Amino acid sequence: GGFNIASTNPSAYYDRTVLATLFQNSAGTTPVTAGSQPIGLGLDQSQGLVLGPEAVVNGDFSGGLTTGWTVSASGSITVDTGRLKVTNATGGYQYANQGITCVAGRTYKFKVTPTAGAGSCTIRVGTGLGGGGTTVFNQTSSAAAIDGVFIAAATTMNIGLYCESATVGAYSFYDNISVKLLAGNHQ
């Protein structure tokens, strides 16, 4: 017989022929699509890539801003057509923040749908407010959905959603924020 993962009960299982589990960067945002590309992250398949329960409260903003989110500047952060709208009203960077309960050292799957208005969208996950402190995930996007991973550096990780523009009046939108534990010992 051949290899049977169910009968061996490994502590980790990595199959380099399954490109969907390989990423060029450690954030898991750039997939490996060819054998000649570098591998920055390999997902452990021993536990079936099972996701845990949703850790974000009100990730679709249906509960407005008062449920789960805190804001850096009142009036600069609003809910507009079911999406979070972050506006640079003063020339400084404003953000919405949510603290997520995590297990330090474990890997989490992170998803968000950003839409740039007049400024680019930056998402940070870290130990400080707005995803600062020890930052474990930091990505700027104009419109593409962000689907990546981060390793929790503490028992509370903060998600920061920003409008990255020094232009007063610039804005960005966010929707469908999700963070779930990704079972396994990923490398």
Side-chain angles (χ1 to χ4, degrees):
F3 176 74
N4 181 345
I5 190 168
S7 68
T8 59
N9 194 18
S11 58
Y13 173 63
Y14 311 101
D15 185 342
R16 298 291 185 231
T17 65
V18 181
L19 294 184
T21 65
L22 303 175
F23 299 88
Q24 294 182 52
N25 59 347
S26 62
T29 57
T30 306
V32 169
T33 57
S36 61
Q37 295 171 334
I39 298 173
L41 171 67
L43 298 181
D44 171 13
Q45 299 166 61
S46 68
Q47 298 180 39
L49 300 173
V50 175
L51 294 174
E54 182 58 61
V56 174
V57 175
N58 190 28
D60 63 358
F61 301 99
S62 60
L65 281 176
T66 58
T67 305
W69 296 93
T70 57
V71 298
S72 63
S74 182
S76 297
I77 319 288
T78 58
V79 174
D80 182 327
T81 61
R83 302 176 296 177
L84 177 75
K85 182 178 182 182
V86 181
T87 304
N88 184 342
T90 64
Y93 298 128
Q94 280 80 35
Y95 61 86
N97 182 84
Q98 184 171 141
I100 304 296
T101 300
C102 295
V103 177
R106 298 293 302 270
T107 301
Y108 289 81
K109 185 90 167 148
F110 179 77
K111 291 184 178 184
V112 61
T113 305
T115 307
S120 60
C121 306
T122 296
I123 296 92
R124 291 190 184 105
V125 179
T127 57
L129 286 178
T134 300
T135 302
V136 296
F137 186 94
N138 184 4
Q139 185 161 345
T140 299
S141 172
S142 294
I146 293 173
D147 185 353
V149 298
F150 68 87
I151 297 172
T155 57
T156 299
M157 297 302 292
N158 289 281
I159 298 172
L161 306 173
Y162 289 79
C163 172
E164 286 286 327
S165 173
T167 304
V168 174
Y171 58 91
S172 300
F173 292 104
Y174 295 93
D175 202 3
N176 306 315
I177 293 97
S178 173
V179 173
K180 296 179 180 181
L181 176 69
L182 180 59
N185 298 305
H186 313 289
Q187 58 178 184

